[in-house]
Amino acid sequence: MYRGYLNQPLTAAPFKNLQKWGKMNITIKLVGTFRIGRFFETVREYPSGTCVREVVDELRIPDPLLGIVLINDIHAGVEEILNDGDILCLLPLIDGG
Amino acid sequence: MKYFTSDPASEPSSVLYSRCTVDLKSGEIQMEDVPCRNLEDVLGGFGRSFQILAERSINKAYCDENPLIVNTGLLTGSSAMTGMRTYFSGYSPIKESKKGLPAAMWSAGSGNFGAKLKWTGLDELIFENRSQKPVYALIRETPDGPLVELKPADHLLGLSTHDKIMALQNEYGNAHFAAIGQAGEQWENVYIGAVALSTDNQLKSGEDKVRFAGRGGMGSLMGYKNILALVAQSSDKIKPLSPEVRKVNINVVKGGGSARLQPINRGGGGGTWAAYDVLQAFHAVPVNNFRPQGNGLPEKMFRANVEKEYLIKSEACYRCGITCHNNVYEKKEDGRAGEFLAKFDYEPLNLLSTNIGIHDAGQAARLIHLTDNFGMDSISLGVTISYVLSYNERHPEHPLLNGATFGEYSKIMELVEQTALGNLPEIGRGSKRLSESTGETSYAYHVKGLELPAYQPETNPGYAWAIAGGHMSMGTYGLLTREGKSDMDSWVQGITQTKLQIVGFDMIGLCKFFDITKGICTQMVVDCLKSEFNLEVTTEELAASVRRAFLRGLALELRQGYQKEEYSLPAEVWERPNPNIKLPNITSPEFIAELQKRVWEVFEPELEGLLP
Ligand code: SF4
């Protein structure tokens, strides 16, 4: 099994309170090496108020590799709160040639 | 270098560097210790060479008065990770103003040559005039200091970059090499010659794993001077790693700054090749002469797809833990590596594949391999070929040259070969001259006479102020794509303050991947200078020196006849806006005009007094 950058199994455990809070569906698209051992695109359910950082951590995408965050094709930061139906795209950094 | 101070910013003249001037016409060789004029001289690279170039009035690149300056940076050959850079500077055969005057230019490369050169005891070599016969220069460490000799090089004539290096390796042990290929020898018709720098890996394996100082035609200038190669022979003089530099090196590898360049199997991003996937998400991968089509074609060159058929090994320059090279090999039936094909870096890969309509990794590898062996700048070559293909697509009745169009591999291969052999000056002299001769300049993708790297100009109006190649001398190529900045203030700030600092790496001898986002004005560099040379320099002093060096480059451009309107982008960008690129439009004529006004408002007052 792919164990991620931190050599820990990937789980979707952190969001235990899904029932307590309102739910929302987020489409997550991954680009480049982020797809290895994960997925290309998927729809996941998260509690309302979830921010990008929580999704990034859940997916165990290492900070130094995370270059670009797009929400509905618009650049965003990791602290941004997601809304139901958002398309979140996570891309690696680019740098020089 | 000799240090008689620990404060080089205040007392630069107490730091001396060792210079050798070789008069190729008379054979006279002069050695001297030169006091530094300022911190730029101390740091080295283009910071020093451009001050020498600024002292000359040069009207054409191929003339006796145009020197070829080969130097290193302060940290080249040090124990700081990536400290392997060599710089080649001179007035460029390819980059010229509309007025027709050549621009000052430098080109940088890794490989082991720079460290060996430094270890001979020499910091700078200046080649004056031109040799009547082909020669190579031998730079040797001796008990009395560095010794430089010129040797006949007839036996090297006509050999590729790799073959020249291997032939010289048979003669000289404990040495590293810089060599031009056939293209540089054909300097009259090829202005885009590159200089190849040998690597340990190459000398041990016999495979052509070479590094290049590619941009600006410094290999052609070397060819004009009739210098086919340089040999630096010395014992290795790397200092034992101090605890401070060890800490810096660990930080370079583990601190996250270079993570994206490290191998995927180490949790890294897999090198510059990864830019393909990222830019494709915005449909901003150059396709068919910088016209992305909004489709999935570029995906054929994604690493994940290439890996299905070929074996990719992550390899590195000597002692570099970043390991950013992605070397592509034939895959044998048992899965092991077969023949080495080419090194896939984003720029050469894109400009010699997707941007010329080639979507087959094997064909791309062969084109890159051929270009490297002939010793040409893959960026200038690829972009000039894509201009030809674009012209031919528009004029099927009256095509240029062999009539090649996008994707016609064997015809494109013929263009590459014939250019290198000096038979196609139309391509060998670059896209500016070719497009001026056809009268169709709007889709010639150069800025100020130097071809653009593989980032769409729609994403980077900062190209206009790059002083030595679009992506390596102005770090704005990610400002829109990566940082999402589309407002005027961010662009003015980026161009005039933060992103110009990228050129610091081309002074100090480090690879940009040491810390590409932060530059050289960091505590890491301060710690290295203190530990290696007992020099006390602040990050502010470093930043001021890098800025002065950059501005001197800009001032030199203006002195070579560049007009303000030349600080712009290829006109196709706004004449035919590309609807497929999924990013805000920041290259309208209005945006560019306002940007020009505001950038010059900042730069212009600072240019005074920078040139002699
Ligand atoms: S970062 Fe790459 S090019 Fe630079 S020294 Fe290391 S392996 Fe060589």
Side-chain angles (χ1 to χ4, degrees), chain B residues 517-552:
Chain B
T517 42
K518 299 205 189 90
I520 69 160
C521 310
T522 60
Q523 195 57 40
M524 291 209 296
V525 170
V526 168
D527 290 347
C528 286
L529 296 180
K530 174 75 182 158
S531 171
E532 290 278 316
F533 315 112
N534 195 30
L535 295 178
E536 309 219 7
V537 191
T538 65
T539 54
E540 292 76 20
E541 286 164 345
L542 287 170
S545 178
V546 173
R547 184 173 182 84
R548 277 194 306 273
F550 176 89
L551 290 168
R552 194 173 286 119

Short mmCIF file of all heavy atoms in Angstrom, two decimals, chain B residues 517-552:
data_model
loop_
_atom_site.label_atom_id
_atom_site.label_comp_id
_atom_site.label_asym_id
_atom_site.label_seq_id
_atom_site.Cartn_x
_atom_site.Cartn_y
_atom_site.Cartn_z
N THR B 517 13.16 30.02 -4.33
CA THR B 517 12.13 31.00 -3.96
C THR B 517 12.72 32.16 -3.15
O THR B 517 12.27 33.29 -3.26
CB THR B 517 10.99 30.35 -3.15
OG1 THR B 517 11.57 29.46 -2.20
CG2 THR B 517 10.04 29.60 -4.02
N LYS B 518 13.76 31.89 -2.37
CA LYS B 518 14.29 32.96 -1.51
C LYS B 518 15.52 33.64 -2.09
O LYS B 518 15.91 34.72 -1.65
CB LYS B 518 14.62 32.39 -0.14
CG LYS B 518 13.39 31.82 0.59
CD LYS B 518 13.59 31.83 2.10
CE LYS B 518 12.50 31.09 2.81
NZ LYS B 518 12.82 29.67 3.00
N GLY B 519 16.20 33.02 -3.05
CA GLY B 519 17.39 33.65 -3.63
C GLY B 519 18.62 33.46 -2.75
O GLY B 519 18.66 32.58 -1.90
N ILE B 520 19.62 34.35 -2.95
CA ILE B 520 20.88 34.16 -2.21
C ILE B 520 20.96 35.06 -0.97
O ILE B 520 21.93 35.01 -0.24
CB ILE B 520 22.13 34.41 -3.09
CG1 ILE B 520 22.27 35.89 -3.48
CG2 ILE B 520 22.14 33.52 -4.31
CD1 ILE B 520 23.69 36.26 -3.92
N CYS B 521 19.95 35.91 -0.79
CA CYS B 521 20.04 36.84 0.33
C CYS B 521 19.42 36.22 1.57
O CYS B 521 18.36 36.65 2.04
CB CYS B 521 19.35 38.15 -0.04
SG CYS B 521 19.95 38.73 -1.62
N THR B 522 20.04 35.16 2.03
CA THR B 522 19.49 34.39 3.14
C THR B 522 20.57 34.09 4.16
O THR B 522 21.76 34.16 3.86
CB THR B 522 18.94 33.04 2.64
OG1 THR B 522 20.04 32.32 2.05
CG2 THR B 522 17.84 33.20 1.63
N GLN B 523 20.12 33.69 5.32
CA GLN B 523 21.06 33.32 6.38
C GLN B 523 21.89 32.11 5.95
O GLN B 523 23.06 31.99 6.33
CB GLN B 523 20.27 33.02 7.67
CG GLN B 523 21.12 32.97 8.92
CD GLN B 523 21.92 34.26 9.17
OE1 GLN B 523 21.42 35.37 8.97
NE2 GLN B 523 23.18 34.11 9.56
N MET B 524 21.30 31.24 5.14
CA MET B 524 22.05 30.06 4.67
C MET B 524 23.31 30.49 3.93
O MET B 524 24.40 29.95 4.15
CB MET B 524 21.19 29.19 3.74
CG MET B 524 20.04 28.49 4.42
SD MET B 524 19.59 26.95 3.61
CE MET B 524 19.04 27.46 2.01
N VAL B 525 23.18 31.46 3.04
CA VAL B 525 24.33 31.94 2.27
C VAL B 525 25.30 32.68 3.19
O VAL B 525 26.52 32.50 3.11
CB VAL B 525 23.88 32.81 1.08
CG1 VAL B 525 25.05 33.50 0.42
CG2 VAL B 525 23.13 31.96 0.06
N VAL B 526 24.76 33.51 4.06
CA VAL B 526 25.60 34.24 5.03
C VAL B 526 26.45 33.25 5.83
O VAL B 526 27.66 33.42 6.00
CB VAL B 526 24.71 35.10 5.96
CG1 VAL B 526 25.50 35.63 7.15
CG2 VAL B 526 24.09 36.26 5.18
N ASP B 527 25.83 32.18 6.28
CA ASP B 527 26.55 31.17 7.08
C ASP B 527 27.64 30.48 6.26
O ASP B 527 28.72 30.20 6.76
CB ASP B 527 25.57 30.11 7.62
CG ASP B 527 24.65 30.68 8.69
OD1 ASP B 527 24.93 31.80 9.18
OD2 ASP B 527 23.65 30.02 9.02
N CYS B 528 27.34 30.20 5.00
CA CYS B 528 28.35 29.56 4.13
C CYS B 528 29.55 30.48 3.93
O CYS B 528 30.69 30.03 3.99
CB CYS B 528 27.75 29.22 2.76
SG CYS B 528 26.63 27.83 2.81
N LEU B 529 29.30 31.76 3.70
CA LEU B 529 30.41 32.69 3.45
C LEU B 529 31.29 32.85 4.69
O LEU B 529 32.51 32.93 4.62
CB LEU B 529 29.87 34.06 3.00
CG LEU B 529 29.12 34.07 1.67
CD1 LEU B 529 28.64 35.47 1.31
CD2 LEU B 529 29.98 33.52 0.53
N LYS B 530 30.65 32.85 5.84
CA LYS B 530 31.39 32.98 7.10
C LYS B 530 32.23 31.71 7.32
O LYS B 530 33.43 31.77 7.62
CB LYS B 530 30.38 33.18 8.23
CG LYS B 530 30.98 33.18 9.61
CD LYS B 530 31.72 34.46 9.89
CE LYS B 530 32.37 34.42 11.28
NZ LYS B 530 33.48 35.34 11.43
N SER B 531 31.60 30.58 7.12
CA SER B 531 32.29 29.33 7.42
C SER B 531 33.40 29.03 6.40
O SER B 531 34.48 28.60 6.78
CB SER B 531 31.26 28.19 7.42
OG SER B 531 31.92 26.97 7.49
N GLU B 532 33.15 29.30 5.14
CA GLU B 532 34.13 28.94 4.11
C GLU B 532 35.28 29.94 4.03
O GLU B 532 36.41 29.56 3.78
CB GLU B 532 33.44 28.86 2.74
CG GLU B 532 32.49 27.68 2.58
CD GLU B 532 33.20 26.39 2.22
OE1 GLU B 532 34.10 26.41 1.36
OE2 GLU B 532 32.85 25.35 2.82
N PHE B 533 34.97 31.24 4.20
CA PHE B 533 36.01 32.26 3.94
C PHE B 533 36.18 33.27 5.07
O PHE B 533 36.90 34.24 4.91
CB PHE B 533 35.65 33.05 2.65
CG PHE B 533 35.21 32.19 1.50
CD1 PHE B 533 33.90 32.22 1.04
CD2 PHE B 533 36.11 31.33 0.89
CE1 PHE B 533 33.49 31.42 -0.02
CE2 PHE B 533 35.71 30.53 -0.17
CZ PHE B 533 34.40 30.57 -0.63
N ASN B 534 35.47 33.07 6.15
CA ASN B 534 35.46 34.03 7.26
C ASN B 534 35.02 35.42 6.80
O ASN B 534 35.52 36.44 7.26
CB ASN B 534 36.84 34.10 7.93
CG ASN B 534 36.75 34.79 9.28
OD1 ASN B 534 35.71 34.72 9.95
ND2 ASN B 534 37.81 35.49 9.67
N LEU B 535 34.11 35.46 5.85
CA LEU B 535 33.58 36.74 5.37
C LEU B 535 32.27 37.04 6.09
O LEU B 535 31.42 36.16 6.22
CB LEU B 535 33.33 36.69 3.86
CG LEU B 535 34.57 36.53 2.97
CD1 LEU B 535 34.17 36.45 1.51
CD2 LEU B 535 35.58 37.66 3.20
N GLU B 536 32.14 38.28 6.52
CA GLU B 536 30.90 38.67 7.20
C GLU B 536 30.12 39.59 6.27
O GLU B 536 30.51 40.73 6.03
CB GLU B 536 31.23 39.40 8.50
CG GLU B 536 32.21 38.61 9.33
CD GLU B 536 31.91 38.66 10.81
OE1 GLU B 536 30.87 39.21 11.17
OE2 GLU B 536 32.73 38.14 11.57
N VAL B 537 29.05 39.05 5.74
CA VAL B 537 28.21 39.81 4.82
C VAL B 537 26.78 39.67 5.31
O VAL B 537 26.37 38.59 5.73
CB VAL B 537 28.30 39.25 3.37
CG1 VAL B 537 27.64 40.18 2.38
CG2 VAL B 537 29.72 39.00 2.97
N THR B 538 26.04 40.76 5.25
CA THR B 538 24.65 40.67 5.70
C THR B 538 23.74 40.34 4.52
O THR B 538 24.11 40.55 3.35
CB THR B 538 24.18 42.01 6.32
OG1 THR B 538 24.18 42.99 5.27
CG2 THR B 538 25.10 42.44 7.44
N THR B 539 22.55 39.89 4.84
CA THR B 539 21.59 39.60 3.76
C THR B 539 21.24 40.89 3.01
O THR B 539 21.03 40.86 1.80
CB THR B 539 20.31 38.95 4.32
OG1 THR B 539 19.79 39.78 5.35
CG2 THR B 539 20.57 37.57 4.86
N GLU B 540 21.23 42.02 3.73
CA GLU B 540 20.90 43.30 3.08
C GLU B 540 22.01 43.69 2.09
O GLU B 540 21.74 44.19 1.00
CB GLU B 540 20.73 44.42 4.11
CG GLU B 540 19.52 44.28 5.01
CD GLU B 540 19.70 43.24 6.12
OE1 GLU B 540 20.85 42.88 6.44
OE2 GLU B 540 18.67 42.75 6.63
N GLU B 541 23.25 43.47 2.49
CA GLU B 541 24.36 43.80 1.59
C GLU B 541 24.32 42.90 0.34
O GLU B 541 24.58 43.36 -0.78
CB GLU B 541 25.70 43.63 2.31
CG GLU B 541 25.97 44.74 3.30
CD GLU B 541 27.08 44.41 4.31
OE1 GLU B 541 27.46 43.23 4.45
OE2 GLU B 541 27.54 45.34 4.97
N LEU B 542 23.98 41.65 0.56
CA LEU B 542 23.87 40.75 -0.60
C LEU B 542 22.76 41.24 -1.54
O LEU B 542 22.95 41.30 -2.76
CB LEU B 542 23.57 39.32 -0.14
CG LEU B 542 24.71 38.55 0.52
CD1 LEU B 542 24.20 37.26 1.15
CD2 LEU B 542 25.81 38.23 -0.49
N ALA B 543 21.62 41.57 -0.95
CA ALA B 543 20.48 42.02 -1.78
C ALA B 543 20.83 43.28 -2.56
O ALA B 543 20.49 43.41 -3.75
CB ALA B 543 19.25 42.25 -0.90
N ALA B 544 21.51 44.21 -1.91
CA ALA B 544 21.87 45.46 -2.60
C ALA B 544 22.84 45.19 -3.74
O ALA B 544 22.74 45.78 -4.82
CB ALA B 544 22.49 46.44 -1.60
N SER B 545 23.75 44.26 -3.52
CA SER B 545 24.73 43.94 -4.56
C SER B 545 24.06 43.25 -5.76
O SER B 545 24.36 43.57 -6.92
CB SER B 545 25.80 43.02 -3.94
OG SER B 545 26.73 42.66 -4.90
N VAL B 546 23.16 42.33 -5.47
CA VAL B 546 22.45 41.65 -6.56
C VAL B 546 21.63 42.67 -7.36
O VAL B 546 21.62 42.65 -8.59
CB VAL B 546 21.53 40.53 -6.00
CG1 VAL B 546 20.66 39.94 -7.10
CG2 VAL B 546 22.36 39.44 -5.34
N ARG B 547 21.01 43.57 -6.66
CA ARG B 547 20.19 44.59 -7.34
C ARG B 547 21.05 45.48 -8.25
O ARG B 547 20.69 45.74 -9.39
CB ARG B 547 19.45 45.44 -6.30
CG ARG B 547 18.50 46.44 -6.89
CD ARG B 547 17.67 47.15 -5.84
NE ARG B 547 16.75 48.07 -6.48
CZ ARG B 547 15.57 47.72 -7.00
NH1 ARG B 547 15.17 46.48 -6.91
NH2 ARG B 547 14.80 48.61 -7.60
N ARG B 548 22.20 45.90 -7.72
CA ARG B 548 23.10 46.73 -8.54
C ARG B 548 23.53 45.96 -9.79
O ARG B 548 23.57 46.50 -10.89
CB ARG B 548 24.36 47.12 -7.75
CG ARG B 548 24.20 48.33 -6.85
CD ARG B 548 25.55 48.84 -6.38
NE ARG B 548 26.38 47.83 -5.75
CZ ARG B 548 26.36 47.50 -4.45
NH1 ARG B 548 25.53 48.12 -3.65
NH2 ARG B 548 27.17 46.57 -3.97
N ALA B 549 23.86 44.68 -9.60
CA ALA B 549 24.32 43.88 -10.75
C ALA B 549 23.21 43.77 -11.79
O ALA B 549 23.45 43.89 -13.00
CB ALA B 549 24.76 42.50 -10.29
N PHE B 550 21.98 43.53 -11.32
CA PHE B 550 20.85 43.43 -12.24
C PHE B 550 20.67 44.75 -13.00
O PHE B 550 20.53 44.77 -14.23
CB PHE B 550 19.56 43.08 -11.49
CG PHE B 550 18.35 43.05 -12.37
CD1 PHE B 550 17.97 41.88 -13.03
CD2 PHE B 550 17.59 44.20 -12.60
CE1 PHE B 550 16.87 41.86 -13.88
CE2 PHE B 550 16.49 44.19 -13.45
CZ PHE B 550 16.14 43.00 -14.08
N LEU B 551 20.66 45.83 -12.25
CA LEU B 551 20.43 47.14 -12.88
C LEU B 551 21.55 47.50 -13.85
O LEU B 551 21.31 48.13 -14.88
CB LEU B 551 20.27 48.22 -11.80
CG LEU B 551 18.98 48.11 -10.98
CD1 LEU B 551 19.04 49.01 -9.76
CD2 LEU B 551 17.77 48.46 -11.84
N ARG B 552 22.77 47.07 -13.52
CA ARG B 552 23.88 47.32 -14.44
C ARG B 552 23.60 46.60 -15.77
O ARG B 552 23.87 47.13 -16.85
CB ARG B 552 25.18 46.83 -13.82
CG ARG B 552 26.42 47.31 -14.50
CD ARG B 552 27.67 46.92 -13.71
NE ARG B 552 27.85 47.73 -12.52
CZ ARG B 552 27.87 47.24 -11.27
NH1 ARG B 552 27.71 45.95 -11.05
NH2 ARG B 552 28.04 48.04 -10.24
#
